[in-house]
Amino acid sequence: MCGIVGYIGPRDATPIILNGLKRLEYRGYDSAGLAVLTERGVQLRRAVGKLHRLQALVEAQPLSGHVGIGHTRWATHGEPSQRNAHPHVSDRGQVVVVHNGIVENFLALRDELAAEGAHFRSETDSEVIAHLIERFLSRETGLVEAVRQTLQLLEGSNAVVVMSALEPDKIVAARLGNAGGIVVGLGEDEMLVASDLPAILEHTRRVAFLEPRQMVVVQRDAVHLMDLDGNPQPLQPTVVPWDPVAAEKGEYRHFMQKEIHEQVRGLTDTIAGRVDFEGGKIYLDTLNLTPELARRVRKIFITACGTAYHAGLVGKTLLERIARVPVEVMVASEFRYADPLVGPDDVVLAISQSGETADTLAAMEEGRRKGATLWSIVNAIGSQAMRIAQGYISMQVGPEIGVASTKAYTAPLVDLYMLAVLLGDLRGTLPAAERRRLVADLRLVPYLVSQVLEREEEVIAVARQLKDVRSCLYIGRGINMATAYEGALKLKEISYIHAEGYPAGEMKHGPIALLDEETPVIALAPRDPWYEKMVSQVEQAKARGAPVVAVVTEGDTLIPPLADAVLWVPPTPWLLSPVVTVVPLQMLAYHIAAMRGLDVDQPRNLAKSVTVE
Ligand code: M6R
């Protein structure tokens, strides 16, 4: 969704902001803008479309200064247009604002301000913030107090960053809820403010995250944090371990392709430091899982969205089979309103790459309200889902930039596997010999994924055959049913080809009617306990004339003669097979979308982190 960058310091703010916005492109946007405090006062540049348009505008009409704020906008109120793009300026030009989230009471506020004589130049909800701040701003009040008073009036989940020519020595930023975070980058004699880490990592790795209902006054050499009543709060800077190079495309054509290939390293890092191969033990220290809690857990509710939800479906099989704990998996947008039967002896486990997904955070809040223990599996360091949980597992995969999630799918599968082993051990439901075998199997995972990646040329050949199809069905059973869902999601979100994932056994109850020579079936049929069932599913699809692409284990001799194309995966312990079988499907979706000439990393209508409901 929207992205924010602000800079104050000795350097020229314009290139720093433009560069920061570039690094937030992955979030999805349809217009962009920046405001810089120049010698001639605040100057604004805004453009519809991708950032190169804003860049061209800035080249044609340069602006330079030492304080500035920028924004990439994902339209909610009002079409993508120059006048709706941020920053927004108040009537007398004293206040400049960029904003993420939705001001839920903006209609009432706009009517009130209009009645007082304010002129609105955009259709956005955000513009009311600039007018309100100016309404409160006076020599006595000052910018900080005017922002604070304005924030009291805003309903909804918002992140706001403000500057004013009247007080050129500061930027004021605030976080009102879960819609988008605010992170302050603490540099040497300079400071940055952003919605996300990648915008500032190349300048500093020392950062401080705002909690909801906190605001911050950022000056070149000082940062003052406070709550919305103006009470000072302690600033707690952390040093982010992410390498800024991890947010570069490098030799790859797209971030998604790079991130698919980074899975070997990501999975190695996921396992490193958490597994004692000699003792056959798992250590997940940040989860705060005590033996007492492990024995007390009645049920685990996994809640997540999109790809993370699919990881949760695999997690159910892992936790139930390995630890023998009952698990329910629910899409977070449903969980939050379902009044689920959650109690104090239950765990609500959220999975989220961004850790900022509004529905997932709301589901966590619902779990907390009902007294459950809150856990999360999160990639974005310092994100809300990490901070509000009582325990977390951090995905060790570095920043994921491509909108289509890849490495942040396979890492939580391994995290859930490790969690299942640890829980089974602490609950006494997993015999020691079995535990040692399961732990030993983990060592293989990065290597097995690397084997699949080496077969990219074979995937490209299949992509060529499928790139013009109109519709595809992905089928799988058991632990690889979720792989079918995930493969279909990958294809549809970046190639815009209609794709459905289905439990293979359900085909005969309806979807088989769709099959014909033009509707390929992608069948997940590795050597797992459901293999024999999948053989007959492939036969049924062929009998209806559908072309079949089968994902099968090396050495398989039954399915390849039936299939039109084969994607091979190495023999893998079945509980870990989803980590491996999804990889050819990620590559397939990627290459189909790239062959169709589409914007793989920023597909239409999608944002990387979905911070609105
Ligand atoms: O950041 P999260 O993991 O919470 O995001 C959840 C979904 O929005 C995300 O997985 C989405 O489905 C991806 N575009 C899938 O590739």
Side-chain angles (χ1 to χ4, degrees), residues 39-272:
E39 284 174 349
R40 287 177 289 131
V42 172
Q43 299 258 321
L44 220 61
R45 302 285 182 269
R46 298 183 294 186
V48 179
K50 294 293 177 187
L51 267 179
H52 63 84
R53 298 223 184 146
L54 179 65
Q55 245 145 354
L57 187 64
V58 169
E59 272 161 35
Q61 301 165 33
L63 73 177
S64 83
H66 302 297
V67 189
I69 56 180
H71 189 264
T72 45
R73 172 175 186 253
W74 194 79
T76 56
H77 295 64
E79 54 172 11
S81 65
Q82 198 182 29
R83 71 196 178 98
N84 286 336
H86 299 216
H88 292 288
V89 183
S90 59
D91 265 343
R92 294 196 295 278
Q94 293 174 337
V95 176
V96 188
V97 166
V98 293
H99 165 232
N100 283 359
I102 292 173
V103 180
E104 286 169 6
N105 55 336
F106 94 99
L107 281 175
L109 292 170
R110 196 177 63 182
D111 290 349
E112 197 181 309
L113 286 158
E116 290 172 11
H119 294 102
F120 284 85
R121 298 178 198 89
S122 76
E123 300 156 276
T124 66
D125 54 334
S126 314
E127 195 183 341
V128 297
I129 304 171
H131 292 296
L132 280 171
I133 298 172
E134 192 171 74
R135 180 217 255 178
F136 290 120
L137 189 60
S138 68
R139 200 177 292 276
E140 298 74 47
T141 321
L143 181 66
V144 178
E145 182 56 19
V147 172
R148 201 185 68 74
Q149 290 185 20
T150 298
L151 297 172
Q152 313 283 353
L153 300 179
L154 305 183
E155 285 172 17
S157 203
N158 298 285
V160 180
V161 177
V162 185
M163 63 183 227
S164 168
L166 297 179
E167 297 187 33
D169 64 331
K170 60 178 70 87
I171 292 173
V172 183
R175 175 175 194 172
L176 283 181
N178 289 330
I182 290 283
V183 56
V184 181
L186 305 139
E188 289 291 323
D189 194 31
E190 64 178 6
M191 303 287 171
L192 293 107
V193 186
S195 51
D196 297 84
L197 281 172
I200 56 179
L201 274 185
E202 72 179 282
H203 306 289
T204 178
R205 288 205 226 169
R206 210 164 150 254
V207 301
F209 296 94
L210 263 63
E211 296 293 338
R213 305 199 66 75
Q214 282 187 331
M215 59 185 279
V216 70
V217 181
V218 179
Q219 294 177 291
R220 192 173 152 155
D221 54 0
V223 174
H224 301 286
L225 185 67
M226 61 192 80
D227 64 20
L228 293 194
D229 295 324
N231 302 311
Q233 305 272 296
L235 191 75
Q236 288 171 333
T238 49
V239 176
V240 178
W242 282 356
D243 178 353
V245 177
E248 308 275 356
K249 258 194 292 224
E251 73 204 74
Y252 293 96
R253 198 167 145 209
H254 296 100
F255 278 110
M256 181 181 177
Q257 190 184 25
K258 174 179 177 244
E259 287 159 4
I260 290 171
H261 283 266
E262 277 173 349
Q263 289 178 110
V264 178
R265 161 92 189 273
L267 292 167
T268 308
D269 292 347
T270 295
I271 296 163

Side-chain angles (χ1 to χ4, degrees), residues 305-308 351-355 357 360 403-405 489-490 493 610:
C305 305
T307 286
I351 306 174
S352 176
Q353 186 287 130
S354 64
T357 301
T360 307
V403 162
S405 192
L489 177 62
K490 285 290 87 77
E493 69 178 328
V610 184

